[in-house]
Amino acid sequence: MSKTLDPVLLQIIGGELDSIAKEMAYQLVRSSYSVIIRESEDMGCAILNIDGEEIAESDNTPFHVGSLVAYTRGALKTLKERGVQLQPGDVLIHNHPYLGASHSLDLGVIAPIFYQGELVGFAGNTAHALDIGGAQPGGSMNLFDMFAEGRIFNANFLYKAGVKCDDMWHFIEGNTRAPREVIGDLKCQVAAAQYGVKRYTQLIDKYGLDTIKLYSGELINYSERMLRAEIEKIPDGEYYAAGYLDDDGIHRDQPEKIGVKVIVEGSNITVDLSEAPPQRPNALNTPFEGSTCVAVYSLFRSLLLDTYLTDKYIPANSGGFRPITVVAPEGTIFNPKFPVATQIRFCPANRVADLILQALAPVMPDRATAGNSAQLNGMYMSGTYENGDYWITIEVDEGSYGGRPGKDGMDAVDCLSANIKNQPIEELELHLPFRFYRYELIEEKFGAGKYRGGTSAVREYEFLTPSVITTESERHSEIDPPPGVHGGKPGTPGAFYKIHLNGEKEKLYSKNNAATFEKGERLVIYGVTSGGYGDPMERDIDKVLNDYLDGLISLTQAREDYGVVIKGKEVDLKETKKLRPISASIEVSN
């Protein structure tokens, strides 16, 4: 660090910048209209410098906050090509998947920050819109191209020099099936961005523009140094793992292979995604800058710079992107060519994040987890009331984490790059035409291990109006369950079922495009459970007993997987000693 910089002031300014981003996020979440933002927090906020680098971000969904760099640079590229100069009071809307957006349903709102007439940065956020007027309500799998996704905004103005652009707002309101929620959420996004402008300007007033420029730049450099120092601890080499998508949503029951090569050279990492399927003529394609790269960046930041691992202050900013290079040939699903659709893009990228963990597990056994669910159950649900008005909601149903060094995997939580909160069924029943029958943990189907894999949840609900469901999910096939590591057992696939009015149970694919449900029919969602870490015979027997008493495992599993004999509510130590290796624990903890 330069001698002109005060390390104490560096941390103070870093903390204040982080607070600005978090305050923006709190304001957006608490004032939003839709459940996907208000409850799931499918959004993110950031402050960026004039080069479009993040200097602070909120701790929400990595896909949102990490992509704001690409959003901002994409919007600035468009403005430059048009010869448009930004002014104080401007607010932009942007969701172009080939100019930085994570996908078109994530609307970016960007406000330039001026100080005494000088452009000094940007306050931005992204949030998932319920509907942008595409081919089908919410999101769609079977799309011909990007233009079929709905309204594409390319650095368009919501406010110009502080004046609201009414025509743009009327245009958006007239081109969505959920105008109340979409316009309401968009107003909240604008307010959050404007709040970021105000707070950053106040920070400059407090410390001076030159100081903020100097210290925010050093915070980015500091994060880069911290990440490089951790990368250098990984042995140089090439590491590889492969997995499969269930199918491409077109050719059913034909798995799609994804190979991930991780190349470590000193303090640099290259993630090579050359072994990927070609881009598809539907929406199962992942925008390179806004999603593919972000999934990789967020994985390494979690793996190497998680706050659990150190007491040091580690700011989340663009410094964590610099040591990492992502290679994906153009024309593959991870770097599609314009104008192929990209709306259903998440699961392939999340599978990449998990495969990076699998590739590095042999050389990072103290960091890498067993196989995670590494997907999501993205449920785009809609219908109409008797008066013809649409209801639309988006659920992102939970998965699980694999067992990890020293701890069991986390149960019924979103996994890796999503980090989205579960939606309470009480909230959904209150505002939407659902009646829930079940919402509970899946029993007996997670990976056994010294540290067991996380289990997921099952949700079952009835639709109270005729409904249309589009889904994006993975790992419903037996070909590629979340693997166990170091002797742990694999997790189990997920599943979707439709229960017809006559009680017939129909298994659905993981990817469904506009599947119809009659009033009174039910949908059942089983999440993916994760792999175990370490030999199950080494699991503490009191943990085995607790899992049994909690109803998570059966007596047979306790005996066969863990070598623990349970009678009544206690462990039979004599019989357990006969089944367990001498090296295994046979004492019950006090």
Side-chain angles (χ1 to χ4, degrees):
M1 184 187 298
S2 170
K3 293 181 180 179
T4 62
L5 294 178
D6 179 351
V8 176
L9 183 59
L10 181 72
Q11 188 156 350
I12 291 172
I13 290 177
E16 294 206 42
L17 287 167
D18 290 344
S19 293
I20 294 172
K22 289 179 173 63
E23 288 167 18
M24 292 167 64
Y26 293 149
Q27 179 170 314
L28 176 53
V29 168
R30 291 174 180 175
S31 59
S32 60
Y33 284 56
S34 63
V35 179
I36 190 68
I37 300 175
R38 186 176 65 252
E39 296 291 344
S40 295
E41 297 189 18
D42 194 350
M43 46 67 66
C45 300
I47 299 293
L48 305 98
N49 63 22
I50 58 172
D51 296 321
E53 292 181 299
E54 274 187 0
I55 57 179
E57 65 176 43
S58 61
D59 49 0
N60 300 101
T61 308
F63 256 60
H64 285 286
V65 288
S67 62
L68 273 166
V69 171
Y71 272 88
T72 304
R73 289 176 173 172
L76 292 176
K77 180 176 184 292
T78 295
L79 294 178
K80 182 178 180 181
E81 291 172 350
R82 294 174 182 166
V84 176
Q85 296 292 323
L86 290 170
Q87 306 173 70
D90 288 348
V91 180
L92 303 171
I93 182 172
H94 188 78
N95 72 335
H96 197 301
Y98 292 91
L99 287 169
S102 55
H103 73 158
S104 59
L105 285 166
D106 290 339
L107 299 182
V109 171
I110 303 163
I113 304 173
F114 284 84
Y115 190 79
Q116 297 180 352
E118 178 185 350
L119 179 64
V120 296
F122 302 90
N125 60 70
T126 65
H128 202 304
L130 286 183
D131 181 79
I132 57 171
Q136 291 151 4
S140 304
M141 174 66 72
N142 294 347
L143 295 173
F144 182 78
D145 58 18
M146 179 190 78
F147 301 102
E149 298 183 21
R151 308 291 78 78
I152 301 298
F153 303 104
N154 187 3
N156 299 112
F157 285 87
L158 295 172
Y159 282 79
K160 187 71 173 172
V163 178
K164 187 179 180 182
C165 301
D166 288 328
D167 283 350
M168 176 56 69
W169 287 88
H170 292 321
F171 174 79
I172 297 170
E173 185 176 18
N175 283 275
T176 174
R177 300 173 179 89
R180 177 185 178 274
E181 290 83 0
V182 170
I183 293 297
D185 287 344
L186 191 56
K187 288 179 179 178
C188 296
Q189 288 186 253
V190 170
Q194 291 172 332
Y195 180 79
V197 172
K198 175 184 175 181
R199 288 284 285 110
Y200 190 68
T201 303
Q202 291 172 342
L203 191 66
I204 296 174
D205 285 338
K206 185 175 182 179
Y207 294 105
L209 179 58
D210 290 342
T211 298
I212 294 301
K213 285 182 177 179
L214 179 64
Y215 278 78
S216 61
E218 178 56 30
L219 285 165
I220 296 175
N221 295 335
Y222 171 71
S223 292
E224 178 185 359
R225 291 195 300 272
M226 291 285 287
L227 185 59
R228 289 191 181 279
E230 293 300 314
I231 293 172
E232 288 177 346
K233 297 176 184 178
I234 306 172
D236 284 2
E238 294 187 3
Y239 308 98
Y240 177 84
Y244 293 86
L245 304 179
D246 293 343
D247 56 43
D248 64 1
I250 302 171
H251 307 94
R252 295 304 194 180
D253 302 315
Q254 296 184 28
E256 296 277 351
K257 185 179 180 180
I258 297 174
V260 175
K261 183 188 294 183
V262 182
I263 304 166
V264 182
E265 297 176 296
S267 66
N268 294 290
I269 285 179
T270 299
V271 175
D272 189 340
L273 303 178
S274 297
E275 192 177 338
Q279 67 185 40
R280 289 300 186 240
N282 61 3
L284 191 72
N285 300 292
T286 305
F288 179 70
E289 292 182 323
S291 284
T292 299
C293 291
V294 175
V296 176
Y297 298 153
S298 63
L299 183 281
F300 279 106
R301 189 165 67 193
S302 297
L303 180 65
L304 301 176
L305 292 182
D306 190 272
T307 53
Y308 173 78
L309 301 171
T310 178
D311 293 330
K312 296 180 181 178
Y313 170 62
I314 305 173
N317 56 43
S318 285
F321 305 164
R322 290 175 177 174
I324 301 166
T325 300
V326 183
V327 175
E330 190 176 28
T332 62
I333 62 169
F334 296 117
N335 190 5
K337 294 180 181 179
F338 174 84
V340 68
T342 62
Q343 204 164 70
I344 309 297
R345 90 311 183 195
F346 182 85
C347 286
N350 215 25
R351 295 289 290 111
V352 166
D354 195 50
L355 288 170
I356 293 171
L357 282 176
Q358 290 183 37
L360 292 174
V363 292
M364 300 185 70
D366 61 331
R367 296 282 183 92
T369 68
N372 305 288
S373 61
Q375 44 76 259
L376 55 68
N377 296 323
M379 318 298 291
Y380 299 86
M381 304 180 182
S382 64
T384 55
Y385 296 108
E386 290 183 359
N387 64 0
D389 287 346
Y390 276 94
W391 63 265
I392 299 177
T393 192
I394 302 168
E395 278 198 54
V396 181
D397 289 316
E398 51 274 277
S400 55
Y401 278 87
R404 50 200 162 141
K407 290 187 178 182
D408 294 340
M410 290 184 283
D411 300 326
V413 293
D414 208 350
C415 180
L416 297 175
S417 301
N419 195 39
I420 295 171
K421 292 184 177 180
N422 303 337
Q423 295 182 4
I425 61 174
E426 297 85 356
E427 165 74 20
L428 297 175
E429 285 190 331
L430 182 64
H431 296 290
L432 293 160
F434 297 157
R435 178 178 293 119
F436 278 86
Y437 283 72
R438 279 192 292 167
Y439 181 31
E440 58 194 23
L441 291 178
I442 295 172
E443 301 170 355
E444 302 182 15
K445 293 185 178 180
F446 45 85
K450 181 176 181 179
Y451 304 105
R452 67 166 178 81
T455 191
S456 191
V458 55
R459 290 166 81 106
E460 179 180 347
Y461 40 86
E462 174 187 332
F463 295 100
L464 304 183
T465 72
S467 304
V468 177
I469 314 299
T470 291
T471 67
E472 58 173 314
S473 188
E474 291 294 343
R475 295 195 123 155
H476 288 202
S477 168
E478 297 284 351
I479 192 173
D480 188 22
V485 297
H486 309 303
K489 295 190 176 183
T492 56
F496 297 153
Y497 293 96
K498 177 180 181 178
I499 300 179
H500 294 265
L501 294 176
N502 62 5
E504 179 186 349
K505 189 175 182 181
E506 175 189 358
K507 193 173 191 299
L508 304 177
Y509 286 103
S510 57
K511 306 173 191 69
N512 299 276
N513 188 76
T516 58
F517 283 71
E518 294 182 42
K519 178 181 178 179
E521 291 187 319
R522 285 182 274 164
L523 175 67
V524 186
I525 301 170
Y526 285 90
V528 178
T529 70
S530 295
Y533 186 103
D535 186 348
M537 288 291 180
E538 296 180 4
R539 184 168 177 79
D540 289 345
I541 61 175
D542 58 328
K543 291 182 178 180
V544 178
L545 177 62
N546 287 338
D547 283 345
Y548 168 71
L549 295 177
D550 288 340
L552 292 176
I553 64 173
S554 66
L555 288 174
T556 300
Q557 286 177 309
R559 183 185 184 94
E560 294 183 356
D561 289 342
Y562 296 104
V564 176
V565 179
I566 299 173
K567 293 183 178 180
K569 295 183 179 181
E570 296 181 352
V571 174
D572 185 326
L573 292 177
K574 181 178 179 181
E575 293 299 317
T576 295
K577 287 180 181 179
K578 296 177 182 178
L579 297 178
R580 287 206 137 196
I582 295 176
S583 60
S585 170
I586 56 170
E587 297 298 328
V588 179
S589 300
N590 292 325

